[in-house]
Amino acid sequence: MNTNEERQRYSKEELAEFEEIILEKLTNARKEVTFIKETLSRRNDSGTDNTASQSKMLEDGADTAEKESLNQLASRQMKFIQQLENALIRIKNGTYGVCIVTGKLIPKERLRAVPHTQHSIEAKLQRND
């Protein structure tokens, strides 16, 4: 085999490293979603006071905006969790780390930073043009 020829796949040892990174990120993301859901639940429980003052209306408005923000954050985290879980599947089926546009290996540095990516930097830049 020519040493200049690019590798097509990461080794089992390399994949194990990426799997560890992904599992850690999954654990953290799931904890964050749980925390957000608990926070939203507490906010819903405390919203039973019906004093009709101007400040209460302002608080309700701020509370609604905060709930909306927390829901958006939870939604983003759930999407991130799904992307990480999909990356674990790609590790199992041997397609992890291969750019779906160029077919080349995505550099390790990029995968360490964005372990769920399916695009090399060059493919990502092509998409943004």
Side-chain angles (χ1 to χ4, degrees):
M1 180 188 218
N2 186 343
T3 55
N4 291 336
E5 190 176 320
E6 288 188 44
R7 293 189 308 151
Q8 296 299 308
R9 301 274 184 256
Y10 282 112
S11 71
K12 285 185 180 182
E13 293 78 16
E14 290 167 322
L15 290 175
E17 176 194 341
F18 293 126
E19 186 174 18
E20 196 174 305
I21 291 168
I22 291 167
L23 289 172
E24 184 179 337
K25 288 189 180 288
L26 260 175
T27 299
N28 291 336
R30 287 178 177 141
K31 283 180 187 173
E32 191 164 333
V33 167
T34 300
F35 176 78
I36 292 167
K37 287 181 177 177
E38 287 171 356
T39 302
L40 284 168
S41 178
R42 280 194 304 273
R43 295 224 185 281
N44 289 337
D45 292 346
S46 66
T48 56
D49 183 11
N50 284 336
T51 24
S53 69
Q54 182 68 25
S55 67
K56 177 68 176 146
M57 287 172 51
L58 289 172
E59 285 175 24
D60 286 348
D63 198 41
T64 300
E66 190 172 353
K67 283 179 188 173
E68 192 173 305
S69 177
L70 286 169
N71 277 318
Q72 288 174 351
L73 183 59
S75 179
R76 280 195 301 271
Q77 281 299 98
M78 295 299 288
K79 183 179 177 189
F80 182 51
I81 287 168
Q82 186 61 57
Q83 291 170 330
L84 291 169
E85 288 173 344
N86 289 343
L88 287 176
I89 292 168
R90 291 193 301 277
I91 285 175
K92 298 285 184 252
N93 70 22
T95 60
Y96 181 81
V98 179
C99 178
I100 60 174
V101 175
T102 66
K104 297 177 183 174
L105 275 185
I106 300 168
K108 285 183 185 182
E109 301 75 34
R110 176 154 170 75
L111 290 171
R112 285 184 185 118
V114 188
H116 58 283
T117 190
Q118 296 183 67
H119 296 94
S120 63
I121 289 291
E122 71 182 90
K124 185 166 173 45
L125 292 173
Q126 286 172 8
R127 281 180 40 195
N128 292 337
D129 286 345

